[in-house]
Amino acid sequence: MKLNTVFVEALRLAAGPGAKLYLGGDELELFGRDETEDLFFAADAAVQPAEREAVARIVRLAWEHGVPVTARGGGTGLSGGALPVRGGIVLGLDLLDRILEIDRDNMIVRVEPGVITQNLQEAVEAAGLFYPPDPASRGSCTMGGNLAENAGGPRAVKYGVTSDWVLGLEVVLADGSIVHTGSACRKDVTGYDMTHLFVGSEGTLGIITEATLRLIPYPSARALLLAAFPGLQEGLDGVLSVFRRVTPSVCEFLESAALEAAARHLGRPVPVPGAGSYVLLEVDGDGEEVVEAEMLSAGEALDRAGATEIVVAQNPRQTEELWALRRAAGEAVKALSTYKEEDCVVPRARIADLVRGVKEIARKHGITTICYGHAGDGNIHVNVLRMDADERSWEVGLPRAVEEIFRLTVSLGGTISGEHGIGYSQRRYLSIRMSQREIELHRTIKAALDPRGILNPGKIFPE
Ligand SMILES: Cc1cc2nc3c(=O)[nH]c(=O)nc-3n(C[C@H](O)[C@H](O)[C@H](O)COP(=O)(O)OP(=O)(O)OC[C@H]3O[C@@H](n4cnc5c(N)ncnc54)[C@H](O)[C@@H]3O)c2cc1C
């Protein structure tokens, strides 16, 4: 789609003071990529408004001219959600990054969409409060992106995902009108639950311009351990046995290749070399004694499941080192080769069946997989790697293998995305999980809110 000069001038005006507008060159190209594989789609323009009012003006203009608008936060998405697959405008929300209010009495925070998740966490922590959702990308993803993807992260196992913390939203609809959903109240059944319709809608139903989030007191104590197991099965048994005793605040599983890649990536030694799998486990709570007792109980459970060694972080430096390994795993694994990452989630007790089945499918198709992720949630990131497969077997084998992995996931009572969304890269697989009637229902909602189809077109729905 080529934007004419009249439109471009109107866009410049709508963007308002302080905005950045890109119409070509390397800078515009950056808006055509996110963290999803090596995908690229060219935008015709990218605009980053510096004031909230401009979002409604820009969207209204796009609505009047039928120009696609793709919202973008930090561009860390893993399903191609922020890619302008039909061209048009990329609407970058990252300059709208004010924390508007931390209300200690009501224990809520109001934020603009461009606030980086880690900045929000640190700001509320300084006030003794806790916003738990912590995607591993928290240093570069934004609250708008977290809301639009309903992001999870390691702590979701105890504290839930982004949607569990949202009380209300301000949203710019496709025609540029502004609506408010929910409120600052803990309870609100006034009408449909619109807040949770927009959360997880991947920028296809409206642009989130403000969110009211609830907070809790910051847990005063936490402890972290890394347990090494001889094989995959023992590690996954360890995960299940922990939950029979305590609810950890983090329970991550890594097969050895993931931890080894992370260690290499960071230029550090593997903490317990030679294991088949690892579990990173954190407990938190109010008071050292409570946390110590829970840690002991979790450690015993892991030991009985067959852990060969358990390393408990003794100080903040060791804690940070273990966390750094987990956070680096995604990037490190993806640096090994061309890849496709799947975000399978199954009921927790079926993870071993999932991982075993994934390995069988990989063997059958001659491909490599590396699995890691939020095992406490049953959410395993399956990285399918090309490694030295030739182009033809990769291009033919990959979609078949992915389809089989998703069919297996669904047959185990699971679903095809736990936290990364369907976006662009997973939409062809949607019907594995949803019936035609269910997809139609989604289309009806989309058509009601965005009848001209300008908001993030080419996403979620199969062609
Ligand atoms: C190394 C790494 C680790 C990761 N770890 C996790 C993890 O642990 N848990 C997890 O859930 N995800 C994880 N992710 C994925 C990603 O970080 C999340 O999906 C995150 O929520 C995306 O935020 P973003 O600001 O980068 O959004 P973007 O990638 O910019 O956009 C994502 C989607 O949100 C839409 N969007 C953005 N802002 C708005 C808005 N204001 N209004 C409406 N729609 C909007 C976009 O159109 C797009 O569809 C990880 C990614 C990487 C690269």
Side-chain angles (χ1 to χ4, degrees):
M1 160 173 281
K2 193 96 195 97
L3 303 175
N4 64 42
T5 45
V6 176
F7 181 87
V8 169
E9 278 324 300
L11 181 60
R12 199 185 300 279
L13 208 66
K20 294 183 180 167
L21 179 64
Y22 306 96
L23 299 167
D26 293 349
E27 283 179 320
L28 180 62
E29 225 182 280
L30 292 177
F31 291 88
R33 298 182 205 284
D34 64 0
E35 294 290 333
T36 315
E37 303 145 36
D38 50 358
L39 298 176
F40 172 75
F41 291 91
D44 295 292
V47 58
Q48 292 170 305
E51 56 180 28
R52 255 164 60 206
E53 302 70 30
V55 175
R57 292 196 297 266
I58 292 166
V59 175
R60 190 171 311 119
L61 179 72
W63 165 264
E64 283 161 2
H65 291 79
V67 172
V69 178
T70 302
R72 182 183 176 96
T76 66
L78 294 172
S79 58
L83 303 178
V85 300
R86 303 263 166 86
I89 306 167
V90 172
L91 176 52
L93 295 142
D94 41 338
L95 300 185
L96 305 177
D97 63 352
R98 287 180 305 160
I99 295 173
L100 300 167
E101 182 189 16
I102 299 175
D103 176 348
R104 291 178 201 222
D105 292 334
N106 288 305
M107 296 175 76
I108 56 177
V109 59
R110 286 194 304 119
V111 294
E112 288 187 332
V115 173
I116 299 284
T117 310
Q118 187 170 351
N119 293 350
L120 166 66
Q121 289 175 326
E122 287 173 1
V124 302
E125 278 166 30
L129 296 168
F130 190 32
Y131 175 73
D134 63 337
S137 50
R138 69 193 189 126
S140 46
C141 63
T142 65
M143 288 309 301
N146 288 181
L147 290 156
E149 297 291 4
N150 195 8
R155 294 207 173 106
V157 67
K158 179 169 178 180
Y159 293 104
V161 294
T162 305
S163 65
D164 296 309
W165 297 86
V166 191
L167 297 173
L169 298 174
E170 179 184 88
V171 181
V172 172
L173 299 179
D175 64 359
S177 54
I178 299 171
V179 295
H180 294 90
T181 72
S183 62
C185 302
R186 302 273 153 162
K187 297 166 82 178
D188 187 345
V189 289
T190 317
Y192 294 141
D193 188 350
M194 291 290 187
T195 304
H196 291 95
L197 177 63
F198 287 107
V199 174
S201 66
E202 305 191 42
T204 63
L205 300 182
I207 311 289
I208 297 164
T209 46
E210 186 186 315
T212 303
L213 309 161
R214 69 185 180 89
L215 303 168
I216 54 174
Y218 194 79
S220 62
R222 55 171 42 111
L224 185 73
L225 65 75
L226 181 78
F229 293 87
L232 295 176
Q233 182 70 49
E234 293 88 347
L236 293 165
D237 287 348
V239 168
L240 287 191
S241 57
V242 164
F243 284 87
R244 293 189 195 108
R245 294 170 172 236
V246 300
T247 302
S249 46
V250 168
C251 184
E252 300 283 295
F253 169 83
L254 298 105
E255 70 169 276
S256 53
L259 193 86
E260 283 158 16
R264 263 198 313 277
H265 196 71
L266 297 175
R268 296 201 189 145
V270 177
V272 187
S277 69
Y278 298 87
V279 171
L280 183 73
L281 189 118
E282 182 195 81
V283 291
D284 70 0
D286 219 3
E288 299 288 349
E289 277 176 25
V290 179
V291 166
E292 243 171 62
E294 289 203 355
M295 201 53 163
L296 207 64
S297 183
E300 264 172 29
L302 294 169
D303 193 37
R304 286 194 189 169
T308 48
E309 198 170 333
I310 297 178
V311 179
V312 180
Q314 299 297 332
N315 53 48
R317 188 178 54 79
Q318 284 176 4
T319 302
E320 195 36 53
E321 280 173 8
L322 291 181
W323 266 117
L325 284 169
R326 169 59 190 96
R327 292 209 175 98
E331 209 181 319
V333 166
K334 290 176 186 89
L336 294 175
S337 158
T338 306
Y339 69 92
K340 179 147 177 32
E341 177 169 359
E342 308 312 338
D343 177 32
C344 305
V345 54
V346 290
R348 193 189 298 138
R350 308 308 300 271
I351 313 177
D353 296 330
L354 175 67
V355 174
R356 217 180 5 255
V358 163
K359 296 293 169 192
E360 274 163 27
I361 293 167
R363 256 193 304 279
K364 188 170 113 192
H365 291 279
I367 51 171
T368 303
T369 58
I370 297 184
C371 301
Y372 60 86
H374 318 303
D377 290 327
N379 187 191
I380 293 290
H381 300 315
V382 178
N383 280 266
V384 185
L385 303 175
R386 177 167 165 180
M387 304 308 273
D388 47 12
D390 63 68
E391 196 162 335
R392 191 170 149 68
S393 41
W394 174 247
E395 267 168 19
V396 175
L398 176 72
R400 286 193 193 145
V402 171
E403 191 175 327
E404 283 181 38
I405 290 170
F406 282 155
R407 289 199 187 282
L408 167 72
T409 307
V410 172
S411 76
L412 295 171
T415 188
I416 66 172
S417 179
E419 55 180 22
H420 295 165
I422 298 300
Y424 171 76
S425 60
Q426 308 298 43
R427 62 190 189 140
R428 64 191 286 188
Y429 303 107
L430 191 66
S431 60
I432 294 177
R433 173 63 181 84
M434 282 189 194
S435 69
Q436 283 313 307
R437 185 70 192 101
E438 288 157 0
I439 294 175
E440 273 315 310
L441 182 59
H442 277 66
R443 284 193 199 276
T444 306
I445 293 169
K446 168 73 175 165
L449 280 156
D450 181 17
R452 294 189 186 169
I454 64 156
L455 293 181
N456 211 358
K459 303 294 165 62
I460 301 182
F461 302 101
E463 284 285 20

